[in-house]
Amino acid sequence: MFNVFKGALMVLTRKRELFIWSLAFPILLSTMFMLMFANLDDATAFDPVATAVVTDAHYDEATAFSSVIDELGEEGDDQLLDIQTFATVDEARNALTAGEVIGIVSVEADGTPKLAVSPDSGGLGVEQIGRTILDTVMNTYVRNADLLASLAADNPLALADPDLVEEALTHGNATVQVSLTHSTPVQSVRYYYALLGMAALFCGQVGMLAICETQPNLTPLGARRAIGATSRGKTLVATLAASWAISFACLLVAFLFIRFVVGVDFAGREGMCVVAIAVAALFATSLGTLLGSLPKVGFGVKTGLLTGLTCLLSLFAGLYGEPCMDLADQIAREAPVLAAVNPAKVVTDAFYSLYYYDSLVPFAEKAGILLVMTVVLFAVSALFVRRQRYASL
């Protein structure tokens, strides 16, 4: 049986056309993605909101509020505001009109904070996000100030220390970055994960060619194997094992290229990604086996079926751009069953679950779905293979 495995491995590795789609294509496409997405993450990164602050006497007297604004404007990873100071309101308005800032922060004579923002031009651009952030900051401060005032009215001694009041207001508005996911989500990684899903389906060509090589009416090698001493069952198992080994190797090389050459983040879970690749390669083998065992269908037609199926399923996995990614997300929300039976989507989500979640449960669910589909495809393939009969060799 080992000799059959070794022989099948040698035969498949000599089929150079297999490696065009299984290995060269994902590497070339990931290189294109690297060039296309070079500035995507930087473009979607958050920039501090350009804010004009009127530092007049009223602002200086409102020590608690000015402390909050100064803290939010401190340079660093958590900087929320890009502060530009002006002596008067008129100077700040001129900067707002010129588009130099998005909003004006000032303090009224009675100590009330005031916010003026640029007109809303509609849409969800950077300016709209900036206006929302400024509005949230001001509303949060006013809400905290009202709460402290209410507490002071009920219990004057509780907030007698002005330093405690300032600390409460400042900390109440401080920006705290809390991650609810395993890694901070980056938009571009999903396309690389979808690419791996497409590459996994293309690896089905290896299994398809391998099963065709065992059929005595299609190839001379299959005829020689049919009259050999090794049983048909052992021949199929050894051949499929060789197919899985090649598919796994191709996907692993593509993964290593994406990880270390392109520099895509897999959240430090490369070991689990290798497990995902092994499961994806097994599914690819089962898919290729099913197509290769279809009776009365030529190899060219089978290749066309696999190519068309792979491209179609990759569309609903979100590979072809942001609209397709939005469509894939919509299908996952409104028709989760359809997303669950799309192997390209399942492979994509398996990698994304490792990147996004702390728990391994979502990954285990995706891997389990792939294994169930693998068993079903192998079972259907076995029915086709068992029913094949040959009048002569």
Side-chain angles (χ1 to χ4, degrees):
M1 186 173 179
F2 176 76
N3 290 332
V4 178
F5 170 81
K6 182 179 178 181
L9 198 64
M10 294 178 62
V11 169
L12 292 175
T13 52
R14 291 172 181 171
K15 303 289 184 179
R16 297 181 179 179
E17 64 272 15
L18 291 178
F19 298 97
I20 295 177
W21 296 105
S22 303
L23 181 59
F25 179 76
I27 290 178
L28 291 175
L29 195 56
S30 60
T31 303
M32 293 178 57
F33 281 1
M34 179 176 60
L35 299 176
M36 292 169 55
F37 300 148
N39 299 320
L40 176 63
D41 298 332
D42 293 337
T44 56
F46 172 78
D47 292 325
V49 182
T51 307
V53 177
V54 181
T55 56
D56 54 11
H58 302 312
Y59 180 82
D60 294 336
E61 292 173 0
T63 56
F65 178 70
S66 60
S67 297
V68 170
I69 298 301
D70 292 342
E71 181 174 342
L72 296 178
E74 291 181 357
E75 294 184 359
D77 295 336
D78 295 332
Q79 181 181 1
L80 190 64
L81 305 179
D82 180 14
I83 296 176
Q84 302 179 31
T85 58
F86 297 89
T88 64
V89 175
D90 291 337
E91 293 178 359
R93 286 177 179 172
N94 291 334
L96 181 64
T97 303
E100 298 175 3
V101 296
I102 294 177
I104 302 174
V105 173
S106 60
V107 178
E108 298 290 332
D110 60 356
T112 303
K114 181 180 179 181
L115 172 66
V117 297
S118 59
D120 189 354
S121 59
L124 295 175
V126 175
E127 291 187 0
Q128 177 61 33
I129 296 174
R131 284 190 289 267
T132 302
I133 291 174
L134 288 175
D135 185 65
T136 301
V137 168
M138 299 296 286
N139 289 338
T140 303
Y141 176 84
V142 172
R143 187 167 53 250
N144 290 340
D146 291 341
L147 177 60
L148 290 175
S150 177
L151 291 175
D154 295 337
N155 187 2
L157 296 179
L159 299 175
D161 189 349
D163 293 335
L164 292 179
V165 175
E166 180 177 343
E167 181 180 358
L169 288 171
T170 303
H171 288 175
N173 286 271
T175 303
V176 180
Q177 185 176 3
V178 179
S179 177
L180 301 179
T181 60
H182 184 69
S183 293
T184 303
V186 177
Q187 179 70 12
S188 61
V189 299
R190 298 185 65 188
Y191 296 99
Y192 292 99
Y193 300 162
L195 172 58
L196 287 172
M198 186 183 201
L201 297 190
F202 269 132
C203 282
Q205 286 193 346
V206 181
M208 184 175 63
L209 179 60
I211 200 68
C212 288
E213 290 287 345
T214 64
Q215 298 179 27
N217 63 326
L218 295 181
T219 63
L221 178 61
R224 291 195 298 270
R225 287 176 173 175
I227 61 176
T230 305
S231 66
R232 183 169 176 80
K234 291 182 178 180
T235 299
L236 289 174
V237 171
T239 302
L240 294 179
S243 172
W244 172 85
I246 293 178
S247 299
F248 174 75
C250 291
L251 289 176
L252 183 61
V253 171
F255 165 74
L256 293 176
F257 181 87
I258 293 173
R259 171 63 184 88
F260 295 105
V261 178
V262 180
V264 174
D265 183 16
F266 287 89
R269 289 179 164 176
E270 286 78 7
M272 295 304 300
C273 288
V274 174
V275 176
I277 289 172
V279 176
L282 187 61
F283 172 81
T285 302
S286 68
L287 177 62
T289 301
L290 175 63
L291 294 176
S293 61
L294 292 177
K296 300 179 181 180
V297 178
F299 182 77
V301 177
K302 295 176 181 179
T303 301
L305 288 175
L306 178 61
T307 302
L309 184 65
T310 299
C311 294
L312 178 63
L313 295 179
S314 297
L315 168 66
F316 296 106
L319 179 64
Y320 305 135
E322 185 175 353
C324 294
M325 190 66 73
D326 294 339
L327 175 62
D329 293 339
Q330 183 179 0
I331 294 175
R333 289 191 303 267
E334 300 180 2
V337 176
L338 293 179
V341 297
N342 181 353
K345 175 65 173 173
V346 176
V347 173
T348 302
D349 290 344
F351 287 102
Y352 195 62
S353 63
L354 291 175
Y355 173 78
Y356 194 80
Y357 296 105
D358 283 325
S359 173
L360 292 177
V361 173
F363 169 74
E365 292 176 353
K366 303 303 178 183
I369 292 174
L370 282 176
L371 290 175
V372 170
M373 290 193 292
T374 298
V375 172
V376 171
L377 294 184
F378 272 137
V380 177
S381 302
L383 294 177
F384 285 138
V385 172
R386 289 182 59 184
R387 292 181 178 180
Q388 292 179 0
R389 295 291 185 270
Y390 309 100
S392 62
L393 297 179

